[in-house]
């Protein structure tokens, strides 16, 4: 199966425990995030092919959700939903992400949600970027 690989990946997670997330990121991407300004954390991990993986975490961007962004197509996850499922399974947090690659005309408020208990579904998340 040759699935589409996104040029970058972004998910929203809550609740955020930076220490726990950092431990997970060290295991998965060989990166430890450090403070990069007010409520921002950044670092550069390495892919399996030793490609740089810029990682940015912004706390409380929308409704107490943090944004985790990996600015590379070389991460272990092909799509936002793959990272969302991995984070949910490993940390037991609620994770939200786009339904797919964004295209002009797509509904900007429709998101994929994975609840803390692992249940999945589509949801409306209006004004999610107002943080």
């Amino acid at each position: 199966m040759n699935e589409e690989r996104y040029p970058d990946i972004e998910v929203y997670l809550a609740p955020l425990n930076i220490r726990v997330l950092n431990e997970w990121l060290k295991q998965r991407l060989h990166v430890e995030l450090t403070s990069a300004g007010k409520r921002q954390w950044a670092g550069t991990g390495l892919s399996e092919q030793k490609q740089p993986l810029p990682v940015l975490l912004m706390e409380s961007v929308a409704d107490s959700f943090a944004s985790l962004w990996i600015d590379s197509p070389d991460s272990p996850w092909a799509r936002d939903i793959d990272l969302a499922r991995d984070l949910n399974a490993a940390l037991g947090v609620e994770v939200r992400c786009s339904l797919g690659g964004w295209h002009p005309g797509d509904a900007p408020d429709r998101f994929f949600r994975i609840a803390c208990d692992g249940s999945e579904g589509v949801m409306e998340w209006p004004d999610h970027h107002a943080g």
Side-chain angles (χ1 to χ4, degrees):
M1 180 172 90
N2 192 4
E3 63 188 336
E4 178 185 3
R5 183 165 277 281
Y6 293 176
D8 67 330
I9 293 175
E10 183 177 24
V11 297
Y12 301 89
L13 63 142
L16 173 64
N17 180 322
I18 291 176
R19 183 185 58 75
V20 171
L21 180 63
N22 245 339
E23 285 299 316
W24 185 79
L25 287 168
K26 277 196 276 188
Q27 292 172 6
R28 296 304 310 263
L29 301 179
H30 313 289
V31 62
E32 184 167 3
L33 300 178
T34 57
S35 180
K38 187 176 181 181
R39 303 173 73 100
Q40 293 186 18
W41 303 79
T44 301
L46 283 176
S47 71
E48 290 178 5
Q49 299 78 27
K50 305 297 183 222
Q51 296 299 311
L53 299 173
V55 179
L56 177 65
L57 176 73
M58 296 188 337
E59 298 178 47
S60 298
V61 295
D63 301 335
S64 77
F65 278 76
S67 165
L68 179 63
W69 180 47
I70 302 170
D71 188 15
S72 171
D74 298 315
S75 79
W77 308 280
R79 305 166 302 159
D80 297 6
I81 194 169
D82 301 322
L83 172 57
R85 286 179 170 142
D86 201 0
L87 269 170
N88 172 264
L91 306 182
V93 295
E94 180 171 333
V95 188
R96 299 175 182 181
C97 66
S98 65
L99 290 173
W102 189 86
H103 302 286
D106 287 353
D109 296 337
R110 296 195 32 92
F111 275 75
F112 191 80
R113 174 182 181 253
I114 306 173
C116 293
D117 65 6
S119 60
E120 299 182 355
V122 175
M123 65 171 289
E124 292 288 324
W125 194 15
D127 302 323
H128 61 279
H129 285 294

